[in-house]
Every structure is written in structure tokens, then in C-alpha cells.
Amino acid sequence: MKKYTFKEKLKALGPGMLIVGSFIGPGTITSSTRAGATYGYQLLWCVLFSVLAVIIMQGMAARLGIVTQTGLSENLIEDLKERPVLKNIMVILVSAAIILGGIAYMSGDLTGTAIGISALTGIPSRVIAPIWGICILFISNHNNAIKWLEKLLTVCVSIMAIIFVITMFIVRPDFTEILKGLIPSAESNSIMTCVALIGTTVVPYNLFIHATSARQTWKDPDQIPLAQFDVTFSMIVGGIITGAVMVTAGTVVRGMKISTAVDMAQQLEPLLGNLSVPFLAVGLVAAGISSAVITPLGVSYVLAGLFGWQLDKKDKRYFATNVLILLFGIVGAATGFNPITIIMAAQAVNGIFLPVSVFVLLYLASREKVMGEYKNNMIQKILGIGVFLISLTIGVSSIMSLF
């Protein structure tokens, strides 16, 4: 396989950063802040697991997209075409997981943006969320607006990330305690928080988006090293941001009940002082827009691959999916429940459905019929099975905790 210089690899950064832009949203900031405030550094292992999981699974998705030059959904349908009963079962499972997870995530994205605007204006988030949802509907169906926003939001989210990392060092956390937090352990009442942390990072539909974006970016299997570097570098950056938020919260606001954006902003006061609330509010808005635009597109990508639609808004079914995911998300965000609760629940729902998407990807990437010589080797299979088993255990535990 062709070798590339470090400079060439840096120039190739793309699809991985898109995925980081998707999962560094209000859900990540909220779940990490609440985890730090409630459990200190105890759940840092969830962040570490999430980073390892996305490196393994997103790398697998990128490799599958490059080798087959088709998306994950299309590969699933093609592989099972001679077994119609199994194919129909998998289509139902994947569709249900992606649709329900997408609606939950959409509610969280809109709510996160709304509490950011609410902190600046004083208008209740349940009023802002529906209006904001309509704005996102307009933005997501105008390509020029999306391209302009991508650049602006990348800058906003990057600045927010730098601020959190700097603040983490300013507040002088106990690094011995941080190391202890990297060792897996969890209290019985922290299961849903664990699921939320993992569900906000390892997002089911991102596996499908990555396979599609990778095949559009790279056309030759010799470029797999570029894709793997893109994945590894991008996901580590995302993990550092998530970890910095948790550590800062665990140092500054530990023991506090986090219910509003103003509560979350207190962790930034050591660096920003009185500017902490408006800064976090703008950051939540920026992160919320980037995630909210990608969410309905991600669900539409998956369903288009499963049912043979065109990846174009000219296809009425594709366009209708975008609209419906947004509308259901608006309804969820306008329920009147505590916005922080909505965001945490949205991440947990994604964690529950995650094992389905992980299993589908692991199965296809391990098939010689699909991947040829680029199928998963033994180490990749073992790592993938490990991610699947842990995600399955957490998903089942979260379901049990509901009862």
C-alpha cells in the first residue's frame, strides 16, 4: 500500500472532521458538563472508550466506502439480496434505529441551540426551538447557505474547543484523579450518563455518512492510509474537546445541579469571567447548527441507500425524510420538558440503537465477498467485536434502567 508524508496526510483531512463537527454538538457539551458536575472525573473512561470506538468503527466505514465505492446501506442490500427474509428484517431494524435515533438527536440539537439563544435573549427555549427548526429546514435545503455556514461554524466550534482546553489547564485539575477516571467503573445510577456520553460520540448514522463521504473523497484503496489518518486525527481532536469539557466541569462546578446554559457557563468563569454566559451561548448555537443540519441529511442518506432513492432533494422521498425528521424533532424540542433532560435523553436513545449499526458495519467489513483483500483482519475483527459487545451491554443496561 502506498506511503504518504505527514504533510500529505494533513492535506487529506476532510470526512473525519465532518463527523467531529456532527458529534461536537450541544449533546456533547451538555452530557460532558453534567457528567463532570455529577461524577467528577469518574466517567472519563467513557470518553476514552468513545474515542477508541469511533476510530475503529469510522475507520472501518471509510475503508468500506473506498473499497466498494458504495455506501453502507447499499452494501447491506446487495449482500442480502439472495436472502429476502433476512434482508427485510435488517432493513426494518436499521431503519427503526436510524429514524428513532435521528428524531431524538434532532430534538437534542434544536434544544441545545435554543437554550443558547435563550441564555442571550431570555425567551423560553421551548418557544425558540420550533422557530429555529424552521430556520434549519430552510438552511438544509439551500446548498450555498450550508457551505457558508460550514466555514463560519468551523471557526466558532474551533474557538470554543480552544477555550475549553485552556480553561481545563487554568483550573488546575487533579491529574492523579484524572488517571483514575480512565479506569472503567460506574455507579448504578450513572448508567444513563455513560450511555449519553457514548451515544453523543459514536452516532449510528455517522457510520453511514462516513462511508458515503469517504467514497466521494477517495477513489483508490491505496488511499486508505489517508482515510485512516483523517479518522484517527479527527476523532482524537473530538475526544480532547469532550474530555476537556468534563474535566473543567468536574473541577469548577462539581456537585452543582446543571439545569440551564447559565449553569454550564460557570465552568468557564475562571478564564472568561462575565463573558462566560454569552460565549457558551454562542458556542451552543454554533454547535447546534452544525449538528442539526447534518442530522436529517444523515437519516435521509441511510434510507436512500436502503430503499434505492436518489441522494438528491429532487427525489420527493429523500426531501420528505429531511422535512419529517425536522418536524418530529421540533415536536420533541417543544414539549416543555427541561431542555437539559431532553438533550441527555436524546443521547441515551442513540446509545440504545448503536449496537444495530455497529453490527451491520462489522459484518459487512469482515466479508470477503464485499471487501476482498481489504476485509477486516483478525485484530480489526476482535476490536470491532469488542466495541459491539460493550455497546450492546450499555444499550441493554440503559433499557433495563428505564424499568
Side-chain angles (χ1 to χ4, degrees):
M1 197 168 285
K2 185 178 177 181
K3 293 185 177 180
Y4 295 89
T5 64
F6 183 70
K7 185 177 180 180
E8 288 174 325
K9 290 178 178 178
L10 283 178
K11 285 183 178 180
L13 291 175
M17 284 298 184
L18 176 69
I19 299 302
V20 172
S22 171
F23 74 69
I24 298 295
T28 296
I29 298 169
T30 303
S31 56
S32 300
T33 300
R34 179 169 273 191
T38 307
Y39 303 104
Y41 315 140
Q42 184 182 333
L43 299 182
L44 273 172
W45 68 269
C46 293
V47 179
L48 179 61
F49 166 75
S50 298
V51 171
L52 294 175
V54 286
I55 289 174
I56 294 165
M57 301 315 299
Q58 299 291 164
M60 213 176 281
R63 179 159 41 89
L64 180 137
I66 295 169
V67 171
T68 65
Q69 284 297 296
T70 52
L72 184 50
S73 300
E74 295 90 333
N75 271 298
L76 178 63
I77 296 300
E78 177 64 24
D79 188 70
L80 298 178
K81 67 180 181 181
E82 295 177 3
R83 289 174 281 181
V85 175
L86 181 58
K87 184 184 80 170
N88 291 335
I89 291 173
M90 291 305 299
V91 166
I92 292 170
L93 279 175
V94 173
S95 298
I98 295 300
I99 291 172
L100 293 175
I103 291 171
Y105 216 78
M106 194 74 239
S107 298
D109 291 337
L110 294 178
T111 301
T113 308
I115 63 175
I117 297 175
S118 179
L120 292 173
T121 64
I123 302 171
S125 61
R126 67 177 181 275
V127 175
I128 296 172
I131 298 172
W132 189 246
I134 294 170
C135 294
I136 292 295
L137 181 62
F138 172 81
I139 292 169
S140 64
N141 287 287
H142 287 76
N143 293 331
N144 290 335
I146 292 176
K147 290 177 182 177
W148 181 81
L149 272 171
E150 278 180 353
K151 295 177 182 178
L152 174 63
L153 297 175
T154 298
V155 173
C156 290
V157 175
S158 297
I159 292 173
M160 183 170 60
I162 292 168
I163 291 293
F164 269 111
V165 172
I166 293 174
T167 305
M168 179 181 68
F169 286 102
I170 286 178
V171 298
R172 296 184 179 181
D174 184 334
F175 285 97
T176 302
E177 195 177 344
I178 287 175
L179 291 176
K180 290 180 181 177
L182 296 175
I183 300 172
S185 65
E187 301 172 12
S188 59
N189 60 351
S190 68
I191 293 296
M192 289 303 286
T193 305
C194 289
V195 176
L197 285 167
I198 294 169
T200 192
T201 306
V202 195
V203 183
Y205 59 74
N206 276 351
L207 300 176
F208 293 81
I209 292 176
H210 207 147
T212 299
S213 60
R215 73 175 175 82
Q216 293 171 343
T217 304
W218 298 292
K219 305 296 183 183
D220 192 321
D222 281 345
Q223 295 174 305
I224 289 176
L226 294 177
Q228 191 58 57
F229 177 83
D230 173 50
V231 168
T232 304
F233 183 87
S234 301
M235 302 311 145
I236 289 175
V237 168
I240 289 172
I241 296 169
T242 306
V245 175
M246 187 187 295
V247 169
T248 303
T251 307
V252 180
V253 294
R254 187 181 305 192
M256 268 188 58
K257 184 178 180 181
I258 305 297
S259 301
T260 66
V262 175
D263 294 338
M264 289 194 286
Q266 289 187 42
Q267 64 186 303
L268 296 175
E269 286 184 0
L271 178 63
L272 299 178
N274 293 333
L275 294 175
S276 60
V277 172
F279 176 84
L280 185 70
V282 172
L284 283 170
V285 172
I289 297 172
S290 61
S291 294
V293 169
I294 291 172
T295 296
L297 293 177
V299 177
S300 299
Y301 270 20
V302 177
L303 297 187
L306 291 175
F307 299 108
W309 307 342
Q310 292 181 4
L311 289 174
D312 194 310
K313 64 183 180 182
K314 293 178 182 177
D315 190 315
K316 293 181 179 179
R317 298 162 297 184
Y318 178 87
F319 178 73
T321 301
N322 275 343
V323 174
L324 287 172
I325 294 297
L326 261 166
L327 290 178
F328 279 113
I330 289 171
V331 171
T335 54
F337 287 110
N338 182 291
I340 303 296
T341 302
I342 292 174
I343 293 172
M344 293 295 286
Q347 313 318 315
V349 168
N350 270 286
I352 291 169
F353 290 118
L354 178 62
V356 177
S357 298
V358 170
F359 175 79
V360 169
L361 175 57
L362 178 60
Y363 166 76
L364 290 172
S366 300
R367 296 266 288 164
E368 188 170 1
K369 174 185 172 184
V370 177
M371 298 290 288
E373 65 180 290
Y374 299 100
K375 68 177 183 178
N376 284 338
N377 57 36
M378 185 56 66
I379 294 176
Q380 289 166 332
K381 286 179 183 177
I382 292 171
L383 291 173
I385 291 171
V387 172
F388 170 72
L389 291 177
I390 293 174
S391 63
L392 181 63
T393 301
I394 292 174
V396 171
S397 297
S398 63
I399 293 173
M400 296 296 289
S401 69
L402 295 176
F403 299 99

